[in-house]
Amino acid sequence: SAVISQKPSRDICQRGTSLTIQCQVDSQVTMMFWYRQQPGQSLTLIATANQGSEATYESGFVIDKFPISRPNLTFSTLTVSNMSPEDSSIYLCSVVGGVPDTQYFGPGTRLTVL
Amino acid sequence: QKEVEQNSGPLSVPEGAIASLNCTYSDRGSQSFFWYRQYSGKSPELIMFIYSNGDKEDGRFTAQLNKASQYVSLLIRDSQPSDSATYLCAVERFTGTASKLTFGTGTRLQVTL
């Protein structure tokens, strides 16, 4: 499976600021996703990061709040904008790989908003 | 009704016993089913996937799928303390141009000495 890294691993941010999370994969992948895992909850898909085009957002998530970039097949960023304490969560990127196609997750970014 | 349902637990089993984790799903169009293990503070790790009705074994793990009953389970034989984690059931559905995973809330497993 692909090796996935995320930066930062954790951060503490002030209300109203923005944070950009980076996801780097060691091989080219077609599909990349961004998930959120709030405390004590399961994973919720935020969006599919599409290379060369706008991300596809799930219901309840909007581009203004969670802008996503995917400049190439190995890298993506997720920005959490105008943060509030409700955005405190773990943010995970995932990629599809292997035979058959399965999703693998990065180590996650633990975000705390004060 | 939740799309993917799991008992949150904790499920407590003694070391060496069989742990049985269950998951039901609502979408009959679901095609692939995954079990992920998540240790506290870590990201989910894929341990099993299953596509066809019946059993699939991999070491101490057996996944069971019954599409008619919309039910998938994970059996862990000879449970070890290192198996203590949250187990997430995920269901995949193809939407024409893409596939999406929907996760259950997870079952916390505790293997006691």
Side-chain angles (χ1 to χ4, degrees):
Chain A
S1 61
V3 176
I4 308 166
S5 60
Q6 284 186 236
K7 289 182 183 179
S9 59
R10 60 177 62 227
D11 207 341
I12 300 173
C13 301
Q14 296 298 319
R15 178 195 299 262
T17 62
S18 297
L19 176 72
T20 295
I21 302 167
Q22 299 179 4
C23 178
Q24 179 75 54
V25 191
D26 69 343
S27 58
Q28 293 186 340
V29 292
T30 305
M31 305 293 290
M32 290 182 79
F33 303 92
W34 286 99
Y35 286 84
R36 180 174 74 182
Q37 188 173 30
Q38 294 179 303
Q41 304 294 314
S42 190
L43 283 79
T44 301
L45 179 63
I46 297 172
T48 303
N50 301 309
Q51 196 268 327
S53 64
E54 204 170 271
T56 305
Y57 289 85
E58 296 301 303
S59 176
F61 297 95
V62 295
I63 188 171
D64 290 345
K65 176 67 176 177
F66 297 102
I68 288 171
S69 78
R70 178 93 191 270
N72 56 53
L73 293 177
T74 64
F75 186 78
S76 178
T77 67
L78 168 74
T79 299
V80 186
S81 303
N82 188 25
M83 288 183 286
S84 67
E86 292 71 36
D87 294 319
S88 296
S89 186
I90 298 172
Y91 292 86
L92 297 138
C93 70
S94 76
V95 304
V96 173
V99 178
D101 284 347
T102 49
Q103 275 196 40
Y104 299 92
F105 287 86
T109 296
R110 183 181 295 272
L111 170 62
T112 302
V113 183
L114 303 177
Chain B
Q1 181 187 10
K2 290 183 181 178
E3 290 186 59
V4 181
E5 293 209 50
Q6 296 181 255
N7 188 320
S8 62
L11 172 66
S12 184
V13 300
E15 184 178 6
I18 296 175
S20 178
L21 305 162
N22 304 315
C23 173
T24 58
Y25 59 95
S26 60
D27 187 351
R28 284 194 173 276
S30 301
Q31 294 159 307
S32 306
F33 307 86
F34 302 84
W35 284 99
Y36 286 84
R37 177 176 61 199
Q38 187 173 27
Y39 291 113
S40 180
K42 302 294 185 181
S43 63
E45 170 193 12
L46 179 70
I47 53 173
M48 288 285 289
F49 59 85
I50 187 167
Y51 303 126
S52 304
N53 279 327
D55 295 0
K56 179 182 178 183
E57 187 173 317
D58 184 1
R60 295 187 296 114
F61 299 98
T62 299
Q64 299 175 318
L65 175 61
N66 184 326
K67 289 187 178 180
S69 300
Q70 295 174 244
Y71 176 91
V72 58
S73 65
L74 179 70
L75 300 178
I76 306 175
R77 289 181 299 281
D78 188 23
S79 296
Q80 301 297 310
S82 59
D83 295 325
S84 298
T86 296
Y87 289 80
L88 301 169
C89 171
V91 174
E92 182 180 45
R93 187 169 189 276
F94 291 96
T95 60
T97 57
S99 67
K100 294 181 182 178
L101 282 186
T102 301
F103 285 82
T105 54
T107 297
R108 189 156 64 93
L109 173 66
Q110 292 178 338
V111 180
T112 58
L113 296 172

